[in-house]
Each structure stands twice: as structure tokens, then as C-alpha cells.
């Protein structure tokens, strides 16, 4: 089982959850850093809490996350995990097919928002995962 679980990833945030450390934890130190070699950010979380939302993250970026239980006597065993933020790019909407023949059909869609350079159209027979396009 993972010690640090990441969920609810968006373009610029993610939720981090961890198992409670044994004993009387004063607080947790949550450290995270964008890969590769980003600046480390440290958050202090109360000892009774076992999750937090990391905010102001960069899109499409993997973060190394370390959670350290802090006791009055010092630091406990660190737990490690990683999470990746979502893409800022939205897909095209309203994909439709029409005009079928024995060997062709037309595909239309509404453009994706933003400055799109092009579209990659991939297709395969249903139930067959080889891509033909």
C-alpha cells in the first residue's frame, strides 16, 4: 500500500492523503517539489489531520511529495509519494460521425478552446486496440 496517496488532480492542485503515524504526532511537515529540480515548498499540517490540498502548482508537472510526522522529540519516518497535475488543454467537443460508406465515414467536431495547432485523429475497430489512424 502507498504511504502517500494523491487524488483530485487538477491543472494546479492535488489532494495528498497519508496514513496517520503512530504515537502522539505534534504536526506533519509536507514538502513538495516540481520535478526536475523545482523549488521545495513546505507546509505545516496539524497532527490530527491526515490530508491536505497542494495549490498553486504548475500544469502537466510531476511533484515529489514527502510527509514527515513531527513529534516533540523530533522527526519521525518520512513517507514519500508523487503526483502529476492535469493538462491545461481541453479536448474538442461534440465529436460526430456521418456519411458512412463501405470503407469511409466523415468525422466532425467543435474546435477545442485556445490556440490549437492541429488535431490527431486516431481510430480502430471496436474491441480492437490497434490504432489505424
Amino acid at each position: 500500500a502507498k504511504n502517500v496517496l494523491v487524488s483530485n488532480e487538477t491543472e494546479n492542485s492535488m489532494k495528498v492523503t497519508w496514513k496517520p503515524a503512530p504515537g502522539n504526532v505534534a504536526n506533519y511537515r509536507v514538502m513538495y517539489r516540481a520535478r526536475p529540480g523545482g523549488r521545495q515548498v513546505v507546509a505545516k499540517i496539524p497532527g490530527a489531520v491526515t490530508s491536505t490540498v497542494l495549490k498553486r502548482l504548475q500544469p502537466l508537472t510531476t511533484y515529489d511529495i514527502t510527509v514527515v510526522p513531527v513529534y516533540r522529540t523530533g522527526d519521525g519516518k518520512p513517507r514519500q509519494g508523487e503526483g502529476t497535475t492535469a493538462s491545461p488543454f481541453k479536448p474538442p467537443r461534440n465529436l460526430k460521425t456521418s456519411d458512412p460508406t463501405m470503407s469511409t465515414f466523415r468525422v466532425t467536431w467543435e474546435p477545442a478552446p485556445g490556440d490549437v495547432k492541429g488535431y490527431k485523429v486516431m481510430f480502430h475497430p471496436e474491441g480492437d486496440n490497434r490504432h489505424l489512424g
Side-chain angles (χ1 to χ4, degrees):
K2 285 225 174 111
N3 284 328
V4 175
L5 198 71
V6 172
S7 60
N8 299 10
E9 299 93 331
T10 70
E11 287 171 52
N12 43 32
S13 70
M14 63 180 75
K15 183 177 185 183
V16 179
T17 308
W18 56 91
K19 290 197 177 79
N24 194 357
V25 178
N27 59 68
Y28 290 97
R29 196 165 61 239
V30 177
M31 297 172 286
Y32 55 101
R33 167 184 294 186
R35 217 185 267 172
R39 191 172 62 85
Q40 181 161 281
V41 181
V42 181
K44 191 170 154 180
I45 309 297
V49 178
T50 57
S51 73
T52 187
V53 176
L54 309 183
K55 296 190 171 89
R56 295 198 286 279
L57 306 177
Q58 296 297 313
L60 272 179
T61 302
T62 298
Y63 286 81
D64 289 312
I65 304 161
T66 305
V67 178
V68 180
V70 179
Y71 298 91
R72 278 196 296 281
T73 53
D75 288 358
K77 197 166 150 241
R79 298 115 185 276
Q80 271 159 336
E82 64 177 49
T84 303
T85 47
S87 169
F89 304 117
K90 305 290 182 265
R93 286 191 308 270
N94 239 342
L95 188 70
K96 290 192 173 94
T97 60
S98 59
D99 308 338
T101 71
M102 291 284 287
S103 59
T104 66
F105 57 86
R106 178 181 299 280
V107 181
T108 55
W109 57 87
E110 284 173 33
D115 184 18
V116 177
K117 289 195 167 52
Y119 295 94
K120 183 175 182 179
V121 179
M122 292 161 59
F123 59 96
H124 58 83
E126 208 165 10
D128 176 354
N129 284 330
R130 278 176 323 194
H131 287 292
L132 305 179

